[in-house]
Amino acid sequence: MKHSLFAGAVALAATAFAHGAFADTITLGAAVSQSGKYSTNGQHTMNGYNMAVEAINAAGGIKVGDKTYTLAIKYYDDESTPARGAELAERLISQDGIKFLLGPYSSGLTKAIAPVTEKHGVPMVEANGASRSLFTNGYKYTFAVLSTSEQYLASAVALAAEMAKAEGRDPSSLKVAMAMQNDPFSQDIRAGVMDDATALGMKIVIDDKLPKDLNDMTPTLSKVRALKPDLLVVSGHSKGAATAIRQLSEQNVYVPMLAMTHCDSADIVGKFGAAAENTLCAAQWAPTLTYRDDLFGSAADFAKAFKEKYGYAPPYQAAESAAAVEVFADAFRRAGSLDQSAVRDALAATDMQTFYGNIKFDETGKNTAKPMVLYQVQNGELKVVAPTKWAEAKVIYPRPK
Amino acid sequence: MDNILANINLLTSLAPVLNLELIVNGLLVGALFALIAYGMALVWGVMNIINVTQGAYVVFGGYISFYVVRALSGLAPGAPPILWIVISMPVAAAAGAALSYAIFRLVVQRILERDLFISLLATFGIELVLQQTMNQLFTAEERVVDAQLPTFAFLDYMVNVPGSRAFGAVLGVVAAVLIVLLVRYTRFGRAMRATAQNAQAARIMGIDTDRIYAMTYALNGAICGIAGSIVAFVFVLHPFQGFIYTLRSFAIVILAGIGNIVGVIFAALGLGVYENYAGFILGPEYQNGMVFIIVPITLLVRAWIVRRHRQYLK
């Protein structure tokens, strides 16, 4: 009896070993908003990270050199405050001995954390800081998998020009109105729209900055009514999107083309139904794109698995977060060691396709291999209408009155 | 600067009819601000507490209304949502009153006789806790109630009055009138006014001032609850949205002068119009700043008037 128990224990230990229970763990650190104004998107970010970590571990972990590691993440709550984010990054690195960081949610938080990781030489792969000002400081350890913010709505300007040409109008006759929140991210989007619109000779007729605690944008909409722009571009996170849709319809303001960010995270279709029809929405990713990788399969496969696990369709914030973990795993494999500068160099040399899109960093650390997509709300559904390569539906222009 | 001149030009020569729209919209949101500011003035006047928690109570009331409307319209789909909104109002008012009563017993009653700074600090702290609790309970997702009311257009679509705003303003006025009647003509209202005038004397006359304070604070919670249910179908709900309402009601009460009830209503309507103009001419990013600048200006003007008055007495 005693003997067999002993044998059993040995057998158990052996199988446990074979399954990697004793394998080493690479712990990534992340300060993500679990409270405060970004907590919804912070949750999407964490769900994306966790999804990828579990998939990688389930697939046997990561082989680095001749050892196999599993992944884990140590989280802190940055309370949606940049100062707190920087403090926690410092704590993850100096106190908890974390050697690799995943990014927080939002450009503001990423901006606060990047100088800390840079100082300590800690590689950070971030998925939710799109402000272009993140990539002008010469950071060597920050890598972003997403398209930067000045590209967000530039495609809407191109689309408006294309539509004008099809109508036999000169694009330079178009009038553009902008209502962009007064934060780094939205102001980058504004700069991108501005550059493209002025390059095409379009006239900017309204250039309003929405306050962070936006409540009422009717004064801006009154201007829109009077000046009749051909394209109205709005960026103000989820609240801006919801406020714009509500007040455009309530105030009877008509524009032939309306483009904005955060339509999906604001769920404008669910909230406002018909009032959201024909709105164009910028997105980093869509489940209908044809990208794929070995871990998750296609973009649609990821969306399906995510929905099964978390009970809601993945917004792009979750998809790009999962991709950030994949990028880390790939770099660990190629670096063949867990030395921080070796991993950093491997990250810089990343050239891969994920379910989320192609990823290749330029020397500033931003991903230049993946374009933005533009959705349009058509009969209550978000359909990709641009770029033409992935278009599921033809754009409806002008929006019916 | 060019921008500002262009905007002024738009109002004066290109489309003067827009002035009408700015004024009408300003008055409609002003009616809502009046209701919220009225509650703040009440607490300030009776209890000498500047209730920074005001905005959080408004948002809380909005969420209660949102959930009530959602639950009811799930039970009987097809009925006009406006019916559910009206039903949700007393529920939001009751919830607001209950929450503020609990907070009064927990915190506010301990700071009643303390200086103004303590009351600011305490109510600010409560606001932070409430915001975060709402964030956890209701999530940070924006919530709206869709009243499905038409928009009324006048003058060839140049002046538009959303039905929801008009309805909200009417409800706000009705609620304000009811509260004024309550304060003027009921025993409770009389006791409240007596306490505001001189708490010590009121106590000697047999008024349970502690109870009056609790009731006043709860009444303010109910007012905020009603205002919140209006916010839910006029604007957008978010756990951290309350600051906007706190800021505006503070500016309104300062502008009206403490204890000046009729003044609150006019100040609120005026502020609504003023901020619409500020947003139109200077740009929306200055809207909040232009509201707050009213506070120091009012105080400076008051100080100046008082000083002149004193010199006259000499």
Side-chain angles (χ1 to χ4, degrees), chain A residues 74 76 84 86-99 101 116 120 122:
Chain A
K74 183 165 180 62
Y76 283 121
R84 187 85 181 117
E87 216 174 283
L88 291 171
E90 188 75 50
R91 175 164 165 182
L92 280 165
I93 297 164
S94 317
Q95 285 183 30
D96 302 333
I98 300 288
K99 289 167 73 185
L101 248 59
V116 180
H120 292 281
V122 169

Side-chain angles (χ1 to χ4, degrees), chain A residues 13-44:
Chain A
T15 44
F17 192 74
H19 282 268
F22 295 145
D24 290 307
T25 303
I26 305 172
T27 307
L28 306 170
V32 184
S33 310
Q34 292 161 49
S35 58
K37 61 183 168 185
Y38 294 138
S39 52
T40 308
N41 282 316
Q43 192 59 50
H44 298 329

Side-chain angles (χ1 to χ4, degrees), chain A residues 35-36 39-40 208-209 211 213-216 218-219 222-223 225-226 238-239 246-247 250-252 271, chain B residues 21 132 135 140-142 145 151 157 160 164-165 232-233 235 240-241 243-245 276 280 284-285 288:
Chain A
S35 58
S39 52
T40 308
D208 273 2
K209 296 186 178 67
D213 29 23
L214 171 75
N215 199 37
D216 193 354
T218 48
S222 296
K223 267 182 240 176
R225 191 202 323 282
S238 309
K239 195 163 61 184
R246 159 162 268 178
Q247 298 189 345
E250 279 189 353
Q251 299 281 345
N252 281 335
K271 282 192 180 79
Chain B
E21 184 171 81
Q132 189 49 38
N135 191 26
E141 194 188 326
E142 289 74 19
V145 172
T151 297
Y157 281 94
N160 294 270
S164 60
R165 277 192 188 202
F233 67 84
F235 295 117
F240 299 92
Q241 191 75 347
F243 170 72
I244 291 167
Y245 304 107
N276 259 329
F280 190 96
E285 75 265 40
N288 277 341

Side-chain angles (χ1 to χ4, degrees), chain B residues 163-200:
Chain B
S164 60
R165 277 192 188 202
F167 181 56
V170 169
L171 288 176
V173 169
V174 169
V177 167
L178 284 178
I179 294 155
V180 169
L181 291 179
L182 177 83
V183 174
R184 279 259 162 96
Y185 297 110
T186 62
R187 268 181 76 86
F188 165 63
R190 222 174 302 147
M192 199 160 84
R193 279 180 290 138
T195 310
Q197 276 170 19
N198 189 333
Q200 226 169 359

Side-chain angles (χ1 to χ4, degrees), chain A residues 186-240:
Chain A
S186 303
Q187 287 302 303
D188 280 354
I189 296 180
R190 173 184 170 276
V193 170
M194 191 94 156
D195 285 354
D196 284 29
T198 44
L200 288 163
M202 297 178 187
K203 198 170 165 223
I204 310 278
V205 289
I206 297 170
D207 180 10
D208 273 2
K209 296 186 178 67
L210 305 175
K212 269 189 187 151
D213 29 23
L214 171 75
N215 199 37
D216 193 354
M217 58 187 289
T218 48
T220 303
L221 297 180
S222 296
K223 267 182 240 176
V224 171
R225 191 202 323 282
L227 295 169
K228 298 189 174 52
D230 301 280
L231 167 66
L232 170 63
V233 188
V234 179
S235 171
H237 298 268
S238 309
K239 195 163 61 184

Side-chain angles (χ1 to χ4, degrees), chain B residues 222-240:
Chain B
I223 293 172
C224 289
I226 293 172
S229 55
I230 298 173
V231 166
F233 67 84
V234 174
F235 295 117
V236 173
L237 287 174
H238 190 267
F240 299 92

